[in-house]
Amino acid sequence: MESVVMKYPEFSYISISYWRDEEIVEKLTTYMNEVDMWLFSGQIPYGFAKKWAGITQPMFYVPSSGSSLYKTLLQISYNQKIPFDQISFDMFHPAELERAFKESNIAVKPKYLKHYEGEVPTDEIVRYHYELWKTGKTLAAVTCLKNAQHELNKLGVPAFRVLPTQSAIVSTLALILQTNETMHFKDTQIAVQMIEFDSFSSLTKDTFSTDEIYKIEIKMTEKLLEYTKKINGSLKSAGPGRFVIFTTHGLLREMTKDFTIVPDFAILQLTSSDAVTCGIGIGQTVYDAEINAGTALLHAKEFHKGSSMVVFDDKTIVGPLGQPEQITYGYAPEHLQSLSEQTSLSIATLSKLESILRKMGKTEINAHDLAQQMSIMPRSARRILTELESKGLAQVVGEESPHPRGRPRKVFQIIL
């Protein structure tokens, strides 16, 4: 891989090796702020990185393509004379391996294959091949993992590694360059940040006057000007207590750590009593971005004052920023429009519900959990579930008793 990357002057690279699975996250953490993209030599380190979810940069891995496997099979056949039905394999999809055998005119079908997707411990792969070899079922192992080959050879197992081909590496590098161009284009998109604060929240009965409100407005304007300078933007007032900042997608993405945290209002020394609510809009034009920012602000206010939401140019909504539980949902997905017409629920509510269930990986939920995920009152969550149940879109499938003396909570299965 290194010899191929060296031929491309567009790239500067850092070569990182590891021997134990436990080292992967540690190595990634060390170099995380020094790279723009990650290229993994195979599916396993890529899977561990994806599971960790600590990387915000795009990630790629070089696939073990058919030609890589053909080269390894030819080597085994020509040099080792080992029957193909006495070889164990890992990683490949069963259909992919069978197709490779068929295209190579190998009469037998592969008997021993450990297929996996994502991360899998190296020890598990080594154990799979070793047990087959030790019991006499196989004479050799074919693996896609360098560390597995190393450990198997130490145990005496003839192990062959499927190496990535030069063409597969070149294809992956081309994809990285294309992704970089796309990201650069996105970073230059217009971003609008619409900020609203409650001028009355910090007033008391003794200080309530129009002069005090005016002082608060001036103070807030000064703070926002300081913040706007940090993101190379421009600020304009949009009425009492509302401001609009124009900047770029890239600068705002960097400020919010890829739209996961609240914009850095800490530099403004704002407190929770300032009740700052924020909507961020991304668009191809200033007009589109401003419309999206207004939509994001409305969604942020739906959650509660002080929230921040984002609406991207594809109408995807993300937020609330800075919360441990964020949801991503569509602005107006077509498949929910008919369900909205059947019920008294808006498309946005149904879309949020669908996103929450997708994130949880199940179709069952109770009112308490729904209220927490949506940042709404439990009675509002119960109303949503009851409405769905009355229209045949949800049914009670059980009860939960979180506390011995508390009321049982109905568990609803949602059918969207």
Side-chain angles (χ1 to χ4, degrees), residues 197-256:
F197 73 98
D198 185 357
S199 307
F200 299 94
S201 59
S202 56
L203 294 175
T204 65
K205 289 180 180 178
D206 299 330
T207 60
F208 189 91
S209 70
T210 51
D211 287 345
E212 288 299 321
I213 294 173
Y214 186 58
K215 284 181 185 177
I216 292 169
E217 291 271 351
I218 292 172
K219 183 181 174 185
M220 179 60 73
T221 304
E222 289 173 351
K223 287 181 176 182
L224 286 174
L225 280 169
E226 183 185 345
Y227 168 72
T228 304
K229 197 181 294 183
K230 294 275 185 182
I231 57 172
N232 294 332
S234 62
L235 175 73
K236 77 170 185 178
S237 174
R242 182 176 289 184
F243 296 86
V244 179
I245 298 172
F246 296 90
T247 181
T248 63
H249 184 169
L251 288 167
L252 212 50
R253 179 173 57 81
E254 190 177 329
M255 180 66 77
T256 59

Side-chain angles (χ1 to χ4, degrees), residues 71-90:
K71 190 170 73 173
T72 307
L73 291 175
L74 179 63
Q75 179 189 355
I76 294 171
S77 173
Y78 186 78
N79 295 329
Q80 308 298 323
K81 314 292 186 195
I82 298 171
F84 289 115
D85 59 353
Q86 291 182 283
I87 301 172
S88 56
F89 298 84
D90 64 53

Side-chain angles (χ1 to χ4, degrees), residues 268-286:
L268 312 178
Q269 292 143 359
L270 298 179
T271 64
S272 56
S273 62
D274 287 306
V276 176
T277 308
C278 173
I280 296 171
I282 310 297
Q284 302 287 351
T285 65
V286 175

